Amino acid sequence: MRIDEKLQRALHDEADAVDPLVDPDASAWTRIQARARRRRMERRAGIVTLAAAIAAVVAIGAVVLNDGDERVRIVPANTTTTQETAMSTTTTTAGRPSEPALFPGVWPFTSQAEVEAYERDPGVGMFNDPTQTALEFAREYLKFPDPVKVSGDDRRITLAPKKGSPLRTVVEVADVGGGDGPYAAVGASTANIKVTRPARGSTIPNPVTLTGNSTAYEATVNVEVRQDGGDKLGETYVMGGANGEFGDFAGDLTYSPPTKKAGALVFFTESAEDGGISEATVVRVAFGSTEKPGGVTRFSVFFHDRNGKLVEVARESGHTPGVLRAALESLFAGPQAEDGAGITSVFSTKTTGLLAGVTLRPDGTAVVDINDTVDNANSSEGSRILLEELNATVFQFSTVKRVEYRLKGSCDAFWQWLQYGDCRTVPRP
Amino acid sequence: MMTTMAFKDTAVRRRPEEEVSDLFRAEYRSLVRLATLLLGDVGAAEEVVQDAFVKLQVGWARLRDPDKAPAWLRSAVLNGARSRLRRASVRKRHLEPVPSPTATVETDAVAHDERRRMLAALRTLPDRQREALVLKFYMELSEAETAAAMGVTAGSVKTHVHRGLASLEAALQEES
């Protein structure tokens, strides 16, 4: 008898010996029904508990460690807090309890809807296992070269970036499914990068202040702001200690306006040996309004100088249904007197109100519709200038992956007016 | 929105308990047997299968295609069994073959011994190889169905089956 036949017989013999009850009135069915009821109740209770926990954090306001000579006052919500630090005094507005709760997951689930979608179709079920979740997080989100587990339990898993590396990052995972998975990574930490600001779960302003204590090769710790889904909104680096000596770091990071409500700050170092990412600290954060305390939104528009070179001009807006819309409205209003001499554009006060509509689709496609043609913009030089200014203004926002322009609702009409032919989509440069 | 409307308009829908009850009658026994072959422990197998049914019932309203519920259950059982094995406590126990309630003194001693050795060798294989062999030779699923249940490609299934059988043969020869 062949090995496969022997195996088949052994499996059937073995299985035939197992005879569970199949009567739905029997105990297995009763247990399933009882557990299903309990699961529904736990899920409801879990959502309420999570919301309450987040609301409690939000209600406390800014939670910052009392570190060195940094002094922080903890005050109730719905008030404005003043954080007095050794470096500067900044004012931020605490969150309101009525704001939606911050989902704890950084990756791969950043909302309850994503968890539920996964539960419906778990594929190989990788994220039902906490260790696999931690390893995939390290590989896919942190970009570790070949992470390996060193130690840990079901909640805190210590990883090395690759076999043989002495560096360690602890990935914290949480059950986001209500009892037995799936799991999501909710944060990470390395002993070599300790972050004191922003605090975990806090709502960050833009720019966000970064403080902490670190040791790294050439003292350099890289920092990225990523929104849910992984898009990078901004990056910088801070300098702490080097060669095993710890030193304080401090800096500010300005980032592109987010399109998601939450994300994470990722602090990481790169290997001196091969440039790979070798350790990381990840802090879950919510994004505050893009409005500054005075109710002002900042962005840029792009015009040209006398030499035909594209120039960036800062703008602010007091009321913004959307920052992309505000930027386009400001672009179409043309250069202002305060921009100084020498700034030119195909847009001017005559084209104020040119914007018929703008939408940003979930796939990153911006659709920009104008309601009229623009004088002198359909010559070869005019269309080059118009497209450069439009593209630069639209693509300053990292969430815009491509743009489709329309004239009175027609993409063909836009490109035919500029004598480029038929409809096309402009990809992010 | 269109999908939701269509769904609401077409259906006189049964309650999830009724749908799951039918599936329970049709699938429970074979799923417990499948999980027992993977885990080597009937009690643990029943828990894994019951858990899959609990998840199915709780999430029934969100199931896009109820016809795929049996395949979903198989995947959920595989995932549950995998998690159990990783949690290790079962691993020690599952090296012991499950006592057969139908075994009698008339049982062919040689065949019984060969079965015991075959199952012991099966349980030393990597998870994926063991799953592929059990799905193919016990559940008698096609390569495509096995691949869907495991969340891998059909090519991968072939590889796992081939390597698994080779390892079993080597293990049995080594013993004899």
Side-chain angles (χ1 to χ4, degrees):
Chain A
M1 198 187 284
R2 293 189 338 233
I3 185 73
D4 53 342
E5 292 167 342
K6 284 183 193 170
L7 173 64
Q8 191 159 28
R9 197 165 115 182
L11 289 171
H12 279 280
D13 287 349
E14 182 76 359
D16 287 347
V18 178
D19 196 15
L21 294 167
V22 290
D23 179 355
D25 295 326
S27 60
W29 177 250
T30 309
R31 269 204 300 277
I32 288 169
Q33 293 310 303
R35 287 178 61 194
R37 275 194 299 277
R38 196 164 60 238
R39 178 72 67 88
R40 275 190 223 105
M41 286 167 64
E42 282 169 358
R43 180 160 290 183
R44 271 184 232 125
I47 290 167
V48 171
T49 307
L50 181 64
I54 297 291
V57 170
V58 170
I60 288 169
V63 179
V64 182
L65 298 180
N66 191 343
D67 182 29
D69 51 5
E70 184 175 77
R71 285 170 289 141
V72 178
R73 283 166 50 206
I74 297 176
V75 299
N78 290 323
T79 61
T80 296
T81 71
T82 300
Q83 298 179 4
E84 298 170 48
T85 72
M87 296 170 299
S88 63
T89 299
T90 57
T91 304
T92 59
T93 304
R96 292 173 292 278
S98 58
E99 285 174 355
L102 174 62
F103 188 82
V106 174
W107 189 95
F109 310 113
T110 57
S111 69
Q112 194 61 38
E114 288 175 7
V115 173
E116 286 168 4
Y118 180 79
E119 285 177 328
R120 283 195 298 276
D121 184 10
V124 295
M126 183 181 290
F127 304 123
N128 289 328
D129 181 84
T131 300
Q132 285 303 317
T133 303
L135 285 167
E136 283 302 304
F137 171 72
R139 195 175 291 120
E140 297 296 323
Y141 189 88
L142 299 179
K143 309 292 182 198
F144 282 7
D146 190 14
V148 289
K149 178 180 174 180
V150 178
S151 63
D153 52 27
D154 279 358
R155 294 292 175 269
R156 293 171 59 81
I157 293 134
T158 304
L159 306 176
K162 60 183 178 181
K163 201 172 174 184
S165 169
L167 296 170
R168 299 288 180 264
T169 294
V170 179
V171 175
E172 194 179 336
V173 296
D175 186 329
V176 289
D180 51 0
Y183 294 85
V186 297
S189 57
T190 165
N192 291 334
I193 309 171
K194 294 168 188 145
V195 177
T196 49
R197 291 177 67 186
R200 182 175 174 175
S202 61
T203 299
I204 60 167
N206 191 3
V208 56
T209 299
L210 315 167
T211 63
N213 189 259
S214 64
T215 181
Y217 172 67
E218 292 184 338
T220 304
V221 174
N222 300 286
V223 191
E224 291 180 3
V225 180
R226 296 188 200 168
Q227 68 176 353
D228 285 350
D231 290 335
K232 184 167 71 179
L233 301 177
E235 63 187 321
T236 188
Y237 64 89
V238 289
M239 307 285 282
N243 304 322
E245 295 284 322
F246 277 86
D248 290 343
F249 64 76
D252 286 332
L253 172 51
T254 301
Y255 51 94
S256 301
T259 53
K260 305 283 176 64
K261 289 177 178 167
L265 265 291
V266 183
F267 297 73
F268 62 95
T269 62
E270 289 169 348
S271 159
E273 190 185 317
D274 58 14
I277 292 180
S278 50
E279 57 186 338
T281 291
V282 178
V283 180
R284 177 78 169 146
V285 293
F287 297 119
S289 161
T290 53
E291 289 187 348
K292 294 194 301 181
V296 175
T297 303
R298 290 189 297 188
F299 50 83
S300 296
V301 292
F302 291 81
F303 299 125
H304 281 79
D305 65 14
R306 283 187 182 130
N307 300 318
K309 197 178 156 203
L310 200 66
V311 291
E312 181 175 1
V313 179
R315 286 276 188 273
E316 291 184 341
S317 172
H319 63 288
T320 53
V323 70
L324 176 58
R325 172 182 291 275
L328 286 165
E329 284 174 345
S330 184
L331 173 74
F332 294 156
Q336 305 296 304
E338 61 268 27
D339 294 338
I343 302 290
T344 66
S345 172
V346 290
F347 303 112
S348 65
T349 49
K350 283 189 195 169
T351 53
T352 302
L354 186 68
L355 186 67
V358 56
T359 53
L360 180 58
R361 293 179 183 151
D363 69 351
T365 303
V367 179
V368 176
D369 191 10
I370 58 173
N371 54 31
D372 203 353
T373 56
V374 178
D375 290 347
N376 304 319
N378 65 341
S379 66
S380 59
E381 183 64 4
S383 60
R384 180 187 69 79
I385 291 173
L386 176 131
L387 288 171
E388 276 187 3
E389 294 181 357
L390 269 171
N391 289 340
T393 301
V394 169
F395 288 123
Q396 72 182 293
F397 305 110
S398 64
T399 46
V400 180
K401 306 299 182 206
R402 62 195 74 79
V403 60
E404 181 185 315
Y405 296 115
R406 292 179 182 176
L407 171 60
K408 296 177 184 173
S410 166
C411 179
D412 281 340
F414 180 90
W415 292 101
Q416 284 161 6
W417 161 56
L418 295 182
Q419 303 183 47
Y420 272 69
D422 294 333
C423 177
R424 66 195 63 193
T425 301
V426 182
R428 187 177 188 79
Chain B
M1 184 59 76
M2 290 296 287
T3 311
T4 310
M5 292 295 287
F7 187 66
K8 278 182 181 166
D9 287 344
T10 51
V12 177
R13 290 164 62 192
R14 298 172 72 207
R15 291 162 54 223
E17 294 90 306
E18 293 170 322
E19 301 279 5
V20 177
S21 170
D22 288 352
L23 281 164
F24 179 87
R25 282 198 180 89
E27 306 286 342
Y28 185 73
R29 186 199 301 260
S30 72
L31 288 171
V32 170
R33 288 175 168 177
L34 166 69
T36 305
L37 292 173
L38 295 170
L39 292 165
D41 182 308
V42 184
E46 288 213 62
E47 278 178 35
V48 163
V49 175
Q50 287 170 20
D51 196 42
F53 274 98
V54 170
K55 282 182 177 167
L56 181 67
Q57 185 164 319
V58 172
W60 184 266
R62 300 190 301 269
L63 198 67
R64 267 170 294 186
D65 185 356
D67 291 343
K68 289 190 178 157
W72 185 94
L73 278 168
R74 263 198 309 268
S75 287
V77 168
L78 281 188
N79 293 333
R82 230 176 265 159
S83 293
R84 283 272 171 158
L85 286 173
R86 285 208 190 91
R87 285 171 192 158
S89 62
V90 176
R91 195 172 280 279
K92 280 184 190 169
R93 280 187 284 155
H94 83 225
L95 291 171
E96 300 297 325
V98 183
S100 164
T102 56
T104 67
V105 287
E106 287 81 28
T107 304
D108 182 331
V110 176
H112 186 271
D113 184 55
E114 189 166 274
R115 186 175 108 198
R116 185 189 60 75
R117 290 191 296 120
M118 175 71 80
L119 294 170
L122 179 72
R123 284 162 193 152
T124 63
L125 296 182
D127 290 354
R128 295 299 165 103
Q129 289 180 17
R130 185 171 55 255
E131 286 167 11
L133 291 176
V134 171
L135 290 171
K136 183 173 169 65
F137 293 111
Y138 169 64
M139 297 293 278
E140 297 176 7
L141 298 185
S142 68
E143 263 163 18
E145 289 168 329
T146 305
M150 293 174 65
V152 298
T153 62
S156 241
V157 170
K158 269 189 193 163
T159 308
H160 290 314
V161 168
H162 178 74
R163 288 185 183 158
L165 287 175
S167 300
L168 282 183
E169 194 148 39
L172 292 176
Q173 274 172 4
E174 207 172 275
E175 252 188 68
S176 55

